Amino acid sequence: MPMTIQATRPFFAVSTLLAFALVADVATARAEEAPPAAANFDKAVLPFFQQNCLRCHNAKTQEGDFRIDNLSRELGGGGSVGHWLDVMDKISTGAMPPEGEENRPTVEQGGRIVDWLAAWIKQGEAARLAQRERVSFHRLTREEYVNTVYDLLGVHFDATDPGGLSEDPEWNGFERIGSVLSLSASHVEKYFAAAEAVLAEAYPDKPIETTVVRKRALDLRGGPSKEQIEQLEAEGLADKVRVDLWPGAHIQGGRPGPGNQMLNNGGEFKVRIQVSGLKPPGGRAPHLTFYADKLDRMLFEQDIIAPENEPTIVEFQTHLPPGGQSFQLMNDVPGPSILPRSGRAGRMPFFSLSDGRIPWQLKLTDEEGQPLYPFLIVDWVEWEGPIVSAEAKSKREGYLPTEKGDIEQVRACLTKFVERAFRRMLAPGEIDKYVALVESEIAAGADFFAAVKTGMLAVMCSKDFYYVVEGSPEREVGALNDFELAARLSYFLWSTMPDDELFELARAGRLHETDVLREQVQRMLSDPKAERFAESFPQQWLQLQKVGMFTPDSTLYPEYDKYLEQSMIRETTEYFGEVLRNNLSLREFLASDWTMVNPRLAMHYEMPTAAEDRFRRVLLDEKDHRGGILTHAAILSLTSDGTRHRPVHRGVWIMESIFGKSPPPPPANVEPIEPNPVDAPKATIRMKLDAHKHDPNCASCHRKIDPLGFAFDNYDAIGRWRTEEKVQHGLGANPQVDASGELPDGRSYGGPEEFKQLLLDDIDRFNETFVEKLATYALRRTTTVDDRDDLAKIAARSKAADYRLRDTVEALILSDLFQKR
């Protein structure tokens, strides 16, 4: 009875890439979904193996060189996890027990074993990730490091620049799990380089002079010869020349930049652009982008709508590292050819539409003066910098001595800096090593202030700076002290270090008091820095990092571009922020009569558009077919594959993000759904999946997950509403979409709106999942069975507050779970 995959009829077969047996039906009661305890192994699954497997895979008989009797029965499989995954795979694919065996188990019996093992392994993984020693170290994420550096020293360090910090690994979408954020030698080198760059900008060797440089259109466009420019100057026309940017046209290199001398020291810069934007009726608005070539980073982008004779001035602020840079200013929308003969003006200056264009060039407007294409007209680009704001200066005060050579002042300044950087009070004598380092640098001939900066550099390279540290090496401590609570709170809601008010409350030993803590939660949620939580948490909870991972096929979806992709993601994060700011119910995430759109997304949804390129709250009409996050284009896109929508992917996403359940891994030999044959009638993906229901082996899997995804078949791979599914190949007309379905408990729905109502009926289950996701983000660790009672209490408080979001966040923070290690 060898444990190898055989070419037999699958015992637990499926025919779609991500179809798998779920842990339990989505409609079963929460009491039936409790993860298995390790002590239940002998009762729950051992009899199955004794009857079907152990006689051929034991100490004496080892078919296929594989044993089961000696595999670990510790929680999650212990050191035998890989072997247990092999066992699951053999059962789910039907390889084991092989055909011909007497009394082979039924499909349902095998499915229950696979479900139990999957949940058991998942529970063990969570327990390992949540394991805590006496001292817990949670490395700052890249985003948290950047925010902390600014609040400590007033420097907008950009960790995404070349040579910056590495991307953070994630676990189930979360990028804050302490046990996943490991530290390597390369990390230490990057932290050292980052700290050097930050301190060099905060305390430059020479005073920084802020200058303003403006480049007019003649400087930007190129083309006219020196003689033509002199003639334009003489005729008083030089300042009337404008740059005409057709769709796809760009100004590149040093022209839109200020010159390298201004950028040599890096820092903060403001860029202003005077520009007009002509939008054709019913068409796309021109899209201004400003891109840093060497940094591979978009500095600014925005749709522009402004009449030719009433240009607007757009302004943005950006941080640039020291060194020369080159930039690209572009009208980034699709359009006609921009070759000199038919498109851009070439060597001939452009003044205005009224002055006309060369006869052989394409017209910009129709006979009524309406724009024919999305067109930009740029008048000038202005740079101001480097800029050091009063706020940035205030953050740096008190860290450098005012008297050269005063070591006692060095000690006082470093003490203030270290306490802020380490986010706690210092132990007796802890500052001595940093003062000693400064003294040794001075003794070696270093400049006094350079020596102090070396001491500060050592602080920023300490584990106490780039780790959130909790616990004590001397003794077991269950509860957080007030400084640890301040740090956990600030990194939860602000993604940065505690501010002065939190520090003072921690120093006074009052932060843990319920009334004080409640007051701080409301203060912090009302602070603009809470927007970081409103952006970061939904991105991780809903796994929005995956949007665009499979770029939609440009032939099938020519209108898809990066700005639409970013607008999709922003809709969901702006939506979360609106719920948070107004303390709306968690029900809004499942169904609502409003959403957040900008003009680009409104056009994608075929909704009325506004002129101003910003997100705004809009009421939905029934014909919009939107409402709640499940119909956001970002969610519908990330659960597709770039060419087709994927009902199974969508069902899995709902299972994980809405119901908090992780399905077992798919069998190794599952075949993907093949494209429609050219000589067969056109069929929807649902039709192909429904075909498997005639096979009882497949039906046991598909009946649990398919209904969760079928509800959204009216939405294509980029989230557009449709009533028929476009099938590339095959015979006949495109088939009509069928978005109806039936859940395993017998409840049915006729489309997405009815399905969302079923989800609202199960609001308590979503509430429990949301609380668990929120706790994972806040605690920087996975939750385990030991947290179940605490999570249930928080969910109950959320329910008592009618599931309002801010109240749910407050309930978590005031809980024992949040305030203990």
Side-chain angles (χ1 to χ4, degrees):
M1 196 166 126
M3 295 291 286
T4 55
I5 297 178
Q6 300 179 9
T8 60
R9 182 185 180 207
F11 166 71
F12 210 64
V14 288
S15 302
T16 181
L17 183 60
L18 285 180
F20 17 58
L22 299 179
V23 177
D25 293 347
V26 300
T28 55
R30 174 65 68 177
E32 298 176 8
E33 299 172 354
N40 293 336
F41 184 96
D42 290 352
K43 179 181 178 181
V45 296
L46 183 58
F48 178 93
F49 294 117
Q50 288 174 332
Q51 179 177 345
N52 299 288
C53 307
L54 287 177
R55 66 179 178 274
C56 296
H57 300 281
N58 54 55
K60 294 182 179 180
T61 305
Q62 299 171 23
E63 294 287 346
D65 295 325
F66 194 91
R67 291 176 63 180
I68 294 180
D69 63 301
N70 64 345
L71 297 184
S72 172
R73 299 179 192 178
E74 297 176 11
L75 178 64
S80 302
V81 173
H83 293 300
W84 282 120
L85 290 173
D86 288 341
V87 171
M88 289 171 57
D89 186 61
K90 301 303 185 292
I91 297 174
S92 62
T93 59
M96 290 293 120
E99 287 197 8
E101 290 288 318
E102 294 183 5
N103 301 319
R104 285 186 85 217
T106 65
V107 170
E108 289 74 17
Q109 289 171 334
R112 283 195 294 270
I113 298 302
V114 170
D115 291 348
W116 195 96
L117 288 175
W120 181 59
I121 289 173
K122 195 70 179 178
Q123 181 181 321
E125 178 189 20
R128 288 190 296 275
L129 289 176
Q131 186 175 2
R132 296 179 295 283
E133 305 295 338
R134 281 192 171 184
V135 180
S136 300
F137 296 95
H138 304 288
R139 181 164 64 82
L140 298 180
T141 66
R142 190 161 67 169
E143 174 195 9
E144 291 171 332
Y145 182 91
V146 168
N147 294 334
T148 301
V149 160
Y150 178 75
D151 286 335
L152 180 66
L153 286 165
V155 174
H156 283 290
F157 175 74
D158 197 316
T160 65
D161 286 341
L165 303 183
S166 304
E167 291 186 10
D168 298 315
E170 56 92 13
W171 178 83
N172 288 3
F174 288 100
E175 300 171 348
R176 294 161 50 95
I177 306 301
S179 53
V180 174
L181 291 171
S182 58
L183 186 72
S184 67
S186 64
H187 284 110
V188 175
E189 292 177 0
K190 290 180 181 293
Y191 281 131
F192 185 87
E196 280 191 314
V198 168
L199 288 169
E201 184 173 326
Y203 303 105
D205 295 333
K206 298 179 181 179
I208 296 296
E209 293 184 6
T210 300
T211 57
V212 176
V213 173
R214 174 177 291 189
K215 289 198 169 183
R216 57 185 182 175
L218 273 176
D219 304 315
L220 295 172
R221 71 186 303 281
S225 64
K226 181 179 180 181
E227 292 75 16
Q228 287 176 308
I229 293 176
E230 291 175 349
Q231 183 179 353
L232 290 169
E233 296 275 9
E235 295 175 357
L237 298 174
D239 291 334
K240 296 182 180 181
V241 174
R242 312 176 85 180
V243 177
D244 50 332
L245 288 181
W246 283 75
H250 63 270
I251 304 168
Q252 196 164 4
R255 287 175 182 162
N260 288 338
Q261 184 175 358
M262 189 177 186
L263 304 176
N264 279 342
N265 295 319
E268 289 289 312
F269 297 87
K270 284 184 179 178
V271 181
R272 303 178 187 90
I273 306 170
Q274 181 165 297
V275 59
S276 300
L278 310 182
K279 176 182 179 295
R284 288 276 299 272
H287 188 64
L288 175 70
T289 63
F290 205 97
Y291 180 79
D293 295 312
K294 294 182 180 179
L295 301 179
D296 191 21
R297 174 153 55 91
M298 187 70 73
L299 303 183
F300 176 81
E301 60 180 317
Q302 181 178 305
D303 282 354
I304 304 293
I305 300 178
E308 178 193 17
N309 59 349
E310 297 179 20
T312 185
I313 297 176
V314 297
E315 177 180 296
F316 64 92
Q317 188 162 317
T318 186
H319 181 272
L320 298 172
Q325 303 291 340
S326 60
F327 306 93
Q328 183 182 104
L329 188 155
M330 184 176 184
N331 182 13
D332 193 10
V333 288
S337 168
I338 58 169
L339 294 174
R341 180 173 178 80
S342 59
R344 60 179 183 264
R347 296 177 64 86
M348 297 297 297
F350 172 79
F351 294 100
S352 69
L353 296 177
S354 60
D355 291 325
R357 290 173 53 79
I358 302 173
W360 60 78
Q361 292 187 318
L362 291 175
K363 291 184 178 181
L364 297 178
T365 60
D366 60 18
E367 298 301 325
E368 286 74 36
Q370 293 288 342
L372 293 172
Y373 312 104
F375 193 77
L376 287 178
I377 301 174
V378 179
D379 297 319
W380 47 259
V381 176
E382 182 178 271
W383 287 75
E384 179 183 357
I387 298 170
V388 183
S389 67
E391 180 184 45
K393 291 178 180 178
S394 68
K395 293 180 182 297
R396 302 166 191 172
E397 289 179 356
Y399 293 154
L400 280 185
T402 56
E403 296 295 329
K404 191 171 184 178
D406 189 336
I407 296 299
E408 286 308 309
Q409 196 178 26
V410 169
R411 179 179 293 274
C413 291
L414 279 180
T415 298
K416 178 181 178 180
F417 182 72
V418 176
E419 286 185 346
R420 292 280 295 164
F422 290 178
R423 305 170 285 274
R424 59 174 172 80
M425 297 286 286
L426 298 185
E430 189 174 1
I431 194 65
D432 293 345
K433 60 183 178 182
Y434 298 107
V435 176
L437 175 60
V438 173
E439 290 178 321
S440 67
E441 287 290 300
I442 295 172
D447 174 78
F448 177 76
F449 293 107
V452 176
K453 285 200 292 182
T454 299
M456 298 172 71
L457 178 64
V459 173
M460 294 183 67
C461 292
S462 167
K463 69 180 188 306
D464 291 86
F465 175 65
Y466 50 74
Y467 277 107
V468 176
V469 183
E470 297 173 349
S472 169
E474 289 80 23
R475 57 191 178 89
E476 294 287 349
V477 179
L480 300 176
N481 64 41
D482 276 40
F483 285 101
E484 293 167 345
L485 180 59
R488 178 175 286 188
L489 184 60
S490 64
Y491 281 107
F492 174 33
L493 298 182
W494 288 347
S495 295
T496 190
M497 63 188 291
D499 65 356
D500 290 339
E501 187 166 336
L502 288 173
F503 271 129
E504 290 306 315
L505 287 169
R507 187 174 285 109
R510 298 192 56 216
L511 184 58
H512 68 280
E513 297 174 9
T514 301
D515 290 342
V516 173
L517 190 55
R518 179 181 287 112
E519 181 182 335
Q520 288 303 305
V521 171
Q522 295 308 316
R523 177 182 74 89
M524 295 176 71
L525 287 175
S526 300
D527 190 282
K529 286 186 286 190
E531 294 178 6
R532 298 169 182 170
F533 167 68
E535 180 177 352
S536 181
F537 172 69
Q539 288 217 27
Q540 298 185 43
W541 160 38
L542 303 173
Q543 303 186 46
L544 298 181
Q545 312 97 321
K546 295 182 180 179
V547 177
M549 183 171 65
F550 298 106
T551 303
D553 188 303
S554 59
T555 303
L556 299 175
Y557 309 103
E559 65 275 32
Y560 188 93
D561 57 24
K562 279 296 180 182
Y563 191 55
L564 176 59
E565 181 180 296
Q566 293 166 10
S567 299
M568 290 176 174
I569 297 171
R570 282 281 305 281
E571 176 189 18
T572 305
T573 56
E574 293 283 344
Y575 189 96
F576 184 93
E578 185 74 3
V579 175
L580 181 68
R581 284 187 295 273
N582 294 286
N583 199 20
L584 303 180
S585 169
L586 299 183
R587 296 185 185 91
E588 302 292 324
F589 294 128
L590 301 179
S592 69
D593 62 356
W594 62 277
T595 192
M596 305 291 291
V597 294
N598 64 354
R600 181 70 185 91
L601 197 60
M603 177 177 287
H604 183 64
Y605 287 161
E606 298 184 347
M607 296 166 58
T609 61
E612 189 177 357
D613 189 7
R614 65 178 180 85
F615 274 85
R616 58 194 178 94
R617 178 170 173 164
V618 296
L619 285 175
L620 296 170
D621 192 271
E622 184 178 349
K623 69 178 185 300
D624 294 322
H625 306 291
R626 304 288 162 181
I629 61 174
L630 300 180
T631 54
H632 285 186
I635 305 303
L636 297 163
S637 174
L638 73 86
T639 52
S640 303
D641 65 3
T643 57
R644 302 174 293 187
H645 74 292
R646 291 288 191 172
V648 177
H649 289 222
R650 290 174 176 177
V652 170
W653 184 91
I654 291 173
M655 196 68 189
E656 292 178 339
S657 300
I658 305 302
F659 292 116
K661 300 182 67 61
S662 297
N669 62 347
V670 175
E671 295 293 332
I673 294 178
E674 297 295 334
N676 204 82
V678 294
D679 57 350
K682 292 184 176 181
T684 66
I685 295 177
R686 173 170 187 160
M687 292 175 183
K688 297 180 180 182
L689 288 172
D690 279 344
H692 298 293
K693 292 183 178 178
H694 299 295
D695 186 335
N697 293 321
C698 298
S700 64
C701 175
H702 282 276
R703 71 180 179 84
K704 300 175 183 179
I705 190 168
D706 291 357
L708 304 180
F710 287 155
F712 301 97
D713 270 12
N714 279 116
Y715 302 92
D716 67 10
I718 59 174
R720 296 175 303 186
W721 176 264
R722 78 266 176 95
T723 56
E724 66 177 27
E725 185 171 324
K726 292 183 179 180
V727 182
Q728 283 185 274
H729 308 292
L731 306 175
N734 286 320
Q736 294 294 304
V737 169
D738 178 9
S740 63
E742 182 177 314
L743 298 179
D745 65 354
R747 291 182 297 166
S748 61
Y749 59 85
E753 293 305 315
E754 293 182 14
F755 179 79
K756 287 189 285 185
Q757 185 57 52
L758 295 181
L759 295 183
L760 287 175
D761 294 341
D762 284 339
I763 185 63
D764 284 332
R765 300 191 61 213
F766 172 58
N767 179 41
E768 292 165 3
T769 296
F770 183 84
V771 166
E772 183 176 350
K773 300 290 186 180
L774 195 66
T776 298
Y777 180 89
L779 303 178
R780 312 176 76 95
R781 64 170 177 84
T782 59
T783 58
T784 71
V785 66
D786 296 332
D787 303 315
R788 190 185 307 164
D789 291 342
D790 286 326
L791 291 170
K793 292 176 183 176
I794 299 167
R797 294 190 187 103
S798 173
K799 181 177 182 179
D802 196 31
Y803 313 103
R804 290 189 296 270
L805 179 54
R806 286 173 71 119
D807 293 330
T808 301
V809 172
E810 180 184 281
L812 170 63
I813 293 171
L814 296 179
S815 70
D816 292 338
L817 180 63
F818 186 84
Q819 297 181 48
K820 66 184 180 182
R821 291 189 55 237

